[in-house]
Amino acid sequence: MRKRLIVQKFGGSSVANVERIQNVAKRVAAYKKKGNDLVVVVSALGDTTDELIKLADQINSDPSEREMDMLLSTGEQISVALLAMAVHKLGFEAISFTGAQGGIITDAAHTRARIIKINTDKIKEELKRGRIVIVAGFQGITLNQDITTLGRGGSDLTAVALAKELGADECEIYTDVEGIYTTDPRIEPKASRISAITYDEMLEMASLGAQVMQSRSIEVAKKFNVPIHVRSSFSDKPGTMIIEEVKKMEEVVVNGVTLNKNEVKITICDVPDRTGIAAKIFNQLAANGVSVDMIVQNVSRLRQTDISFTVSKSDSQKALKLTKKVAASIKAGQVIEDHDIARISIIGVGMKSHPGVAASMFETLARNKINIEMISTSEISISCIIKKKFSEKAVKVLHEKFGLAK
Ligand code: ADP
Ligand code: ASP
Ligand code: MG
């Protein structure tokens, strides 16, 4: 019988301390014992990445992105070595690799690099020797030998890309919750686990703030049809399958509620109402790698208008600098930044065929005295920008309204 190949990824909380690393080692060894081939991807211990970012900030608030990657990649290098040692201690053979050693080749877009290709020869060689191969998540190397990272949460991407490239039989993402829930179970204890979810819905949830899976990893999984099993590293219970299609007896209208507190709103006041002005502003941002999210342009009074948009917190300083420059060049007014915002979203494929979902969302927020500052919609989601202080309340009332509570 052909050996099964399993790719398992363990997130930061699953390897946060010695005991948990030993727990992961035991789990990995148990799978190996069953005769499977195993490639294990690990994230940095606990909050290491956040701590390294804070440390860098104390040295230089505008650090070089290349050096940032040199720094952040060290987190995962610690985890792989420790996990390999823990596996050895259990009497199993294992070898740890950095992203570079694992053959993960990326472009040079430091801090958000894209995987170009994976040379799996070295991994395959070690698997053939019967070893458990432990690969550092979240990192790769350019053809120029510079270390890169794949964006926050990037270990998910490492795992999915390796599963695809190695033709793995299973891709398991182990985390600190028992799968994908209707909303963040840390905010709403009544959230329920979803047993299966489509790539499209998961992608929408991930890009709208459900940090449990990195959205780019879902893009890759969808593109190559890699089924993912998200489950708890602390139990053996089945979690959530992320797959192409989920057959339901009856379409659920709303499948999930997400919250994103990592966006900043930038407003340019008194923008002259002339053709090509919006292009000028957003071209500047795009050319500098800043992706803009929601955009609202008010109706023009006296041939002037205000334009607001949101960007992710990590891009906000860069975006602000660029926007101020463009604002001056087009003779617009003040540029204001607002950090006191949160994005609340509802997601569901069923929305396509059910009118009135948006109205129902707005009405629920209004009834709870939550003012909406911006709105955006896609085919399968509706998002509102609200004040941060209403975040948790908004999650709960919408979760309740759309019948998602346990
Ligand atoms: P890891 O360290 O394993 O990568 P993350 O912290 O990145 O874990 O993601 C897991 C966390 O995502 C959970 O602890 C949970 O609070 C949060 N989360 C947000 N939305 C959801 C959701 N819809 N379902 C499950 N978890 C969610
Ligand atoms: N350690 C990285 C981060 O915190 C990558 C990951 O955890 O997936 O973003
Ligand atoms: Mg994660």
Side-chain angles (χ1 to χ4, degrees), residues 9-13 42-50 53 72 75-76 137-139 151-158 214:
K9 176 251 166 179
F10 293 88
S13 47
V42 226
S43 295
L45 272 52
D47 297 326
T48 304
T49 309
D50 289 328
I53 291 172
L72 297 191
E76 271 70 11
F138 173 59
Q139 55 177 264
R152 294 308 303 271
S155 300
D156 297 332
L157 177 60
T158 305
Q214 189 215 32

Side-chain angles (χ1 to χ4, degrees), residues 271-282:
V271 179
D273 187 8
R274 279 199 317 267
T275 312
I277 289 284
K280 202 162 186 174
I281 298 168
F282 296 110

Side-chain angles (χ1 to χ4, degrees), residues 9 11-13 174-177 179-181 183-186 205 210-212:
K9 176 251 166 179
S13 47
Y174 285 91
T175 183
D176 60 352
V177 285
I180 310 297
Y181 281 70
T183 193
D184 189 341
R186 283 195 234 186
M205 277 181 83
Q211 86 181 73
V212 58

